[in-house]
Amino acid sequence: MKEFQYKNGGRRLYNEDIDRLQELSLAFNAILAGAKLNIVLSGCNVRRTLSTGYSTKYNIEVSAGYAYINGKVRDVPSYSVNDVPTSYVPAIVANNITSGNAVTYADGSSAQAYHNYTAAVRIGAAEDFSDAVVFDIERNKFPDMEDFITR
């Protein structure tokens, strides 16, 4: 696989550069697709603290990051919520796919420039989530790449 070489001052971007980046993305996706699992790739760290005045409720904060869900790498924004029952857990779920603006090509035709795969954090009982990355309370983390490699 080709590796980019950059120097201070930058250089022009060529179609070949974009092709190589797409190849890298597809290769990475193929590795994860074979595993058939939903995991956190980076970020998405969880902080659970007891709610003030409650012994059975938590405040939950999840940092931004990236997750692999249903065969796609997805952007996960940060999230926080207060006074959540202790029996509930955070889960990262896939959002609907949105498409970028249409671009016009030299021949006059147009097409969508990209698809945007995103995710969101939801709170609920662990058994309520399917096709999601569900927080593991006993291990105090979401399943991640380390779990994928060591399983």
Side-chain angles (χ1 to χ4, degrees), residues 10-28:
R11 68 177 185 84
R12 292 182 186 271
L13 182 65
Y14 296 97
N15 285 343
E16 181 181 337
D17 297 336
I18 295 170
D19 288 342
R20 297 292 97 56
L21 290 171
Q22 182 71 19
E23 286 175 9
L24 180 62
S25 172
L26 293 173
F28 183 72

Side-chain angles (χ1 to χ4, degrees), residues 43-146:
C44 302
N45 299 310
V46 177
R47 183 169 167 239
R48 295 179 351 137
T49 57
L50 214 51
S51 294
T52 304
Y54 294 98
S55 61
T56 59
K57 293 189 178 186
Y58 281 99
N59 299 326
I60 297 175
E61 296 175 20
V62 180
S63 67
Y66 292 92
Y68 184 82
I69 304 172
N70 297 336
K72 298 293 179 188
V73 175
R74 298 171 186 272
D75 182 26
V76 181
S78 61
Y79 177 84
S80 66
V81 64
N82 295 324
D83 302 333
V84 175
T86 55
S87 61
Y88 281 17
V89 296
I92 302 170
V93 298
N95 278 342
N96 293 331
I97 301 166
T98 58
S99 296
N101 297 333
V103 294
T104 303
Y105 292 91
D107 67 0
S109 66
S110 66
Q112 296 298 321
Y114 60 87
H115 294 294
N116 190 17
Y117 296 92
T118 61
V121 177
R122 300 286 183 255
I123 302 295
E127 60 272 7
D128 293 342
F129 298 106
S130 62
D131 288 336
V133 183
V134 180
F135 185 75
D136 185 334
I137 290 179
E138 292 188 12
R139 296 177 54 221
N140 199 37
K141 67 177 223 163
F142 284 113
D144 58 17
M145 285 298 290
E146 180 181 333

Side-chain angles (χ1 to χ4, degrees), residues 39-40 139 141 143-151:
I39 59 172
V40 165
R139 296 177 54 221
K141 67 177 223 163
D144 58 17
M145 285 298 290
E146 180 181 333
D147 300 317
F148 169 67
I149 293 168
T150 59
R151 73 177 183 119

